[in-house]
């Protein structure tokens, strides 16, 4: 018979809420199996007969018999007529004693590959919180969900079980055509369906660019400050980023001749520079295209939220100005529609379509067919454009509301930098305020902030924060501003009391 502790362990396994969805015999089987794996039941140890064990557990004999049959089928116990059941010799690697028990084995340092260490060192790119003021998060409560559901049903009726099959690694043709039409009409690009690669996100696009275009140790020019997701993708690939300063007109392209020796690519966010919000001037765009052609280099253009401009038409994308086909254009629907969509894209030079598609197929194969076809219909029917226009109107109201709150309630601490577009408001800290202390205090108060210092490569970065406004109502921003004001007051007061 089981010892008292073993019997109680089986009873606990039966009552474990994590196994509530399992049949009773399966819960008993798992509990006994765990005793064997933990070494609590040694090899050759007899198990109780089914009848007395059933009485002890308060279950039917058939239930225990079903549990034993499964343990026997898996090789954990041996059964012989007249000899009963006992722990199998096959379980010896697990049932070798207490030293083998789960949680008792000595911990050893995990050995990672050089690439694995580089990936881990980046810290990854975490999903955005729903707390104000997380930057780059779109409003989802106003998304036309009923329209999306109707289109999805239409796709299922039209395509049937084909929507359950694999998609081409490059993406379904209907969506690639819709994306190309949109880029050409709204962004002044030169795109065709054959040059579009459908992906899960702009982050996947950055990872592809970093690993397919350049080798570890090669130089890539980047904006200073720059988008943290791109920095981590480049670090993980072992690239050597070369920072190029940014001013009110974007990347200072005139500095490329002295900085760009040996650089194979340049990465930038020309429509709304992240995080400053600056727009790359036309003369600089043209100079950048000329530099790439002359140096046989690539331009990686991340157009992450160009849909949301609040004054006139946005400047044409660099890809549309490049006659030499040296530009890779990255776009995403995560910002313009909703993060759970998980669809982004690359518009590629013709020579890169095949190698990039092959590389993508090794990452995750393809994007869901049903989602791609639904998005294609959403765009073709004009719903995408209508939603973007509605969000553009809403976001500019929220930007102005947040700007008013900062100027009236946080002016002693923050200096806002008004963006002409985008989904976040850059704010510089006034001198003498510790950025990290504010970040720590805000996190404890449930206020999400993106610090600016970490986005700079220079030794004297501009301290401050990005305040996202797109996803939050005025009332939500008012509450978050009040919390942030309290954090700033405590931070400043603490600094004054600190011993000098």
């Amino acid at each position: 018979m089981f010892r008292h502790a073993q019997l109680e362990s089986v009873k606990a396994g039966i009552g474990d809420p994590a196994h509530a969805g399992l049949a009773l015999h399966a819960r008993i089987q798992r509990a006994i199996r765990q005793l064997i794996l933990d070494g609590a039941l040694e090899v050759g140890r007899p198990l109780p007969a089914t009848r007395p064990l059933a009485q002890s557990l308060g279950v039917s004999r058939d239930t225990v018999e079903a549990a034993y049959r499964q343990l026997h089928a898996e090789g954990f116990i041996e059964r012989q007529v007249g000899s009963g059941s006992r722990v199998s010799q096959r379980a010896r690697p697990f049932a070798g004693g207490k030293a083998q028990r789960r949680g008792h084995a000595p911990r050893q340092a995990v050995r990672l590959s050089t690439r694995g260490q580089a990936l881990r060192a980046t810290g990854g790119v975490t999903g955005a919180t729903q707390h104000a003021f997380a930057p780059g998060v779109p409003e989802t409560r106003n998304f036309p969900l009923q329209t999306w559901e109707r289109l999805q049903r239409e796709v299922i009726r039209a395509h049937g079980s084909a929507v359950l099959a694999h998609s081409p690694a490059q993406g379904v043709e209907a969506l690639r055509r819709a994306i190309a039409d949109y880029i050409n009409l709204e962004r002044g690009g030169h795109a065709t369906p054959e040059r579009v690669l459908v992906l899960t996100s702009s982050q996947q696009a950055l990872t592809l660019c970093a690993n397919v275009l350049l080798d570890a140790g090669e130089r890539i020019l980047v904006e200073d400050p720059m988008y943290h997701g791109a920095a981590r993708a480049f670090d993980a690939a072992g690239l050597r980023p070369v920072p190029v300063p940014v001013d009110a007109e974007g990347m200072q392209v005139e500095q490329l001749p002295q900085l760009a020796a040996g650089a194979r690519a340049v990465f930038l966010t020309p429509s709304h520079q992240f995080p400053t919000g600056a727009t790359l001037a036309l003369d600089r765009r043209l100079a950048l295209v000329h530099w790439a052609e002359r140096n046989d280099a690539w331009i990686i253009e991340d157009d992450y939220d160009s849909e949301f401009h609040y004054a006139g038409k946005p400047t044409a994308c660099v890809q549309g100005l490049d006659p030499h086909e040296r530009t890779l254009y990255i776009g995403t629907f995560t910002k313009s529609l909703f993060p759970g969509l998980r669809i982004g894209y690359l518009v590629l030079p013709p020579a890169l379509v095949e190698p990039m598609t092959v590389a993508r197929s090794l990452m995750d194969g393809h994007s869901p067919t049903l989602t791609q076809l639904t998005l294609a219909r959403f765009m073709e029917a004009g719903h995408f454009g209508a939603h973007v226009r509605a969000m553009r109107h809403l976001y500019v109201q929220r930007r102005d509301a947040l700007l008013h709150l900062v100027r009236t309630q946080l002016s002693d601490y923050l200096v806002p930098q008004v963006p002409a577009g985008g989904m976040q408001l850059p704010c510089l800290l006034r001198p003498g305020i510790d950025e990290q202390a504010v970040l720590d205090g805000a996190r404890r108060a449930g206020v999400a902030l993106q610090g600016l210092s970490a986005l700079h490569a220079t030794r004297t970065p501009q301290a401050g924060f990005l305040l996202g406004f797109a996803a939050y109502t005025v009332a939500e921003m008012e509450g978050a501003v009040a919390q942030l004001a309290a954090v700033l007051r405590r931070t400043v007061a603490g600094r004054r009391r600190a011993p000098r």
Side-chain angles (χ1 to χ4, degrees):
M1 193 65 183
F2 284 157
R3 292 192 292 269
H4 176 73
Q6 295 165 346
L7 183 62
E8 291 301 312
S9 179
V10 174
K11 290 180 178 179
I14 294 174
D16 189 344
H19 298 155
L22 296 176
L24 185 56
H25 77 274
R27 284 181 263 170
I28 295 172
Q29 177 257 336
R30 288 194 177 202
I32 296 174
R33 183 181 65 184
Q34 195 59 55
L35 288 173
I36 297 172
L37 291 174
D38 288 345
L41 294 177
E42 301 86 357
V43 168
R45 172 73 178 273
L47 272 65
T50 55
R51 188 184 303 277
L53 180 57
Q55 292 174 345
S56 299
L57 296 177
V59 301
S60 72
R61 184 182 179 186
D62 288 344
T63 298
V64 175
E65 176 62 30
Y68 276 20
R69 281 200 302 269
Q70 184 61 33
L71 287 165
H72 180 247
E74 292 180 359
F76 283 96
I77 69 173
E78 299 168 349
R79 309 189 74 188
Q80 290 183 346
V81 177
S83 300
S85 304
R86 62 186 63 247
V87 178
S88 171
Q89 292 289 333
R90 296 182 179 182
R92 184 175 295 280
F94 300 103
K98 294 183 179 180
Q100 295 289 338
R101 293 187 185 182
R102 182 176 298 182
H104 291 269
R107 287 188 174 272
Q108 297 180 352
V110 177
R111 182 178 179 182
L112 302 177
S113 68
T114 301
R115 186 181 301 107
Q117 293 174 33
L119 286 166
R120 182 180 182 181
T122 67
V125 180
T126 57
T129 174
Q130 295 304 308
H131 298 299
F133 296 97
V137 181
E139 172 59 69
T140 56
R141 289 166 289 193
N142 290 359
F143 182 77
L145 195 55
Q146 291 181 334
T147 299
W148 183 268
E149 291 175 334
R150 175 175 58 81
L151 294 174
Q152 193 169 68
R153 289 194 299 269
E154 291 178 3
V155 168
I156 293 173
R157 284 196 299 269
H159 296 272
S161 61
V163 301
L164 308 179
H166 286 80
S167 160
Q170 190 177 345
V172 299
E173 198 275 339
L175 180 57
R176 290 188 283 112
R177 182 176 62 248
I179 290 172
D181 290 345
Y182 168 74
I183 297 301
N184 294 338
L185 179 64
E186 297 292 336
R187 300 297 295 117
H190 292 306
T192 64
E194 295 74 26
R195 296 174 62 173
V196 175
L197 173 61
V198 178
L199 302 168
T200 58
S201 64
S202 57
Q203 193 65 38
Q204 186 181 48
L206 291 167
T207 299
L208 275 172
C209 292
N211 286 279
V212 175
L213 299 181
L214 297 98
D215 288 316
E218 289 195 300
R219 293 154 60 92
I220 180 171
L221 300 167
V222 300
E223 298 166 319
D224 185 20
M226 74 175 296
Y227 171 54
H228 55 282
R232 291 171 184 176
F234 300 155
D235 287 344
L239 307 186
R240 295 170 54 199
V242 179
V244 181
V246 168
D247 60 21
E249 294 189 333
M251 176 183 278
Q252 296 179 18
V253 178
E254 64 275 12
Q255 296 198 27
L256 294 189
Q258 57 263 38
L259 293 175
R264 292 278 316 284
V266 57
F267 167 80
L268 72 167
T269 52
S271 294
H272 299 139
Q273 199 278 330
F274 190 97
T276 67
T279 298
L280 188 65
L282 177 60
D283 59 333
R284 295 186 180 185
R285 293 173 184 243
L286 296 174
L288 185 65
V289 169
H290 180 61
W291 171 85
E293 191 275 332
R294 190 172 63 251
N295 291 275
D296 194 27
W298 300 107
I299 300 170
I300 303 172
E301 177 181 14
D302 188 355
D303 210 19
Y304 64 100
D305 69 351
S306 64
E307 290 87 2
F308 304 119
H309 51 275
Y310 309 129
K313 292 283 288 182
T315 307
C317 62
V318 174
Q319 193 267 356
L321 301 173
D322 179 8
H324 312 296
E325 297 181 340
R326 306 297 306 174
T327 303
L328 297 84
Y329 178 92
I330 299 174
T332 179
F333 295 99
T334 295
K335 312 294 187 194
S336 53
L337 293 179
F338 54 93
L341 184 61
R342 307 314 303 147
I343 291 186
Y345 55 89
L346 267 168
V347 180
L348 296 162
L352 289 180
V353 172
E354 188 268 343
M356 283 286 192
T357 302
V358 169
R360 185 273 163 91
S361 72
L362 293 172
M363 282 187 171
D364 61 355
H366 61 92
S367 297
T369 304
L370 176 58
T371 306
Q372 291 186 69
L373 290 171
T374 304
L375 178 56
R377 290 201 176 203
F378 192 79
M379 298 180 73
E380 291 164 354
H383 301 299
F384 177 70
H387 180 67
V388 166
R389 288 191 294 273
M391 291 302 98
R392 189 183 299 144
H393 180 69
L394 177 64
Y395 291 175
V396 74
Q397 292 179 331
R398 291 182 174 180
R399 180 203 65 176
D400 293 346
L402 178 58
L403 184 61
H404 175 74
L405 289 169
V406 171
R407 285 174 171 170
T408 56
Q409 299 186 38
L410 303 176
S411 59
D412 290 342
Y413 315 103
L414 299 177
V415 180
Q417 311 292 297
V418 186
M423 304 165 70
Q424 48 267 333
L425 177 71
C427 294
L428 302 182
L429 267 174
R430 293 194 181 276
I433 303 177
D434 187 335
E435 180 189 271
Q436 189 57 53
V438 177
L439 287 171
D440 293 341
R443 184 173 59 253
R444 290 191 293 269
V447 178
L449 298 177
Q450 168 70 63
L452 292 179
S453 294
L455 305 179
H456 288 75
T458 57
R459 294 184 178 180
T460 55
Q462 289 185 303
F465 312 105
L466 279 181
L467 304 184
F469 53 78
Y472 313 109
T473 65
V474 174
E476 289 168 340
M477 290 191 289
E478 287 174 344
V481 164
Q483 290 177 304
L484 181 55
V487 169
L488 286 161
R489 284 194 297 269
R490 288 194 296 269
T491 303
V492 172
R495 182 177 178 84
R496 289 171 180 166
R497 288 195 301 269
R500 297 183 182 277

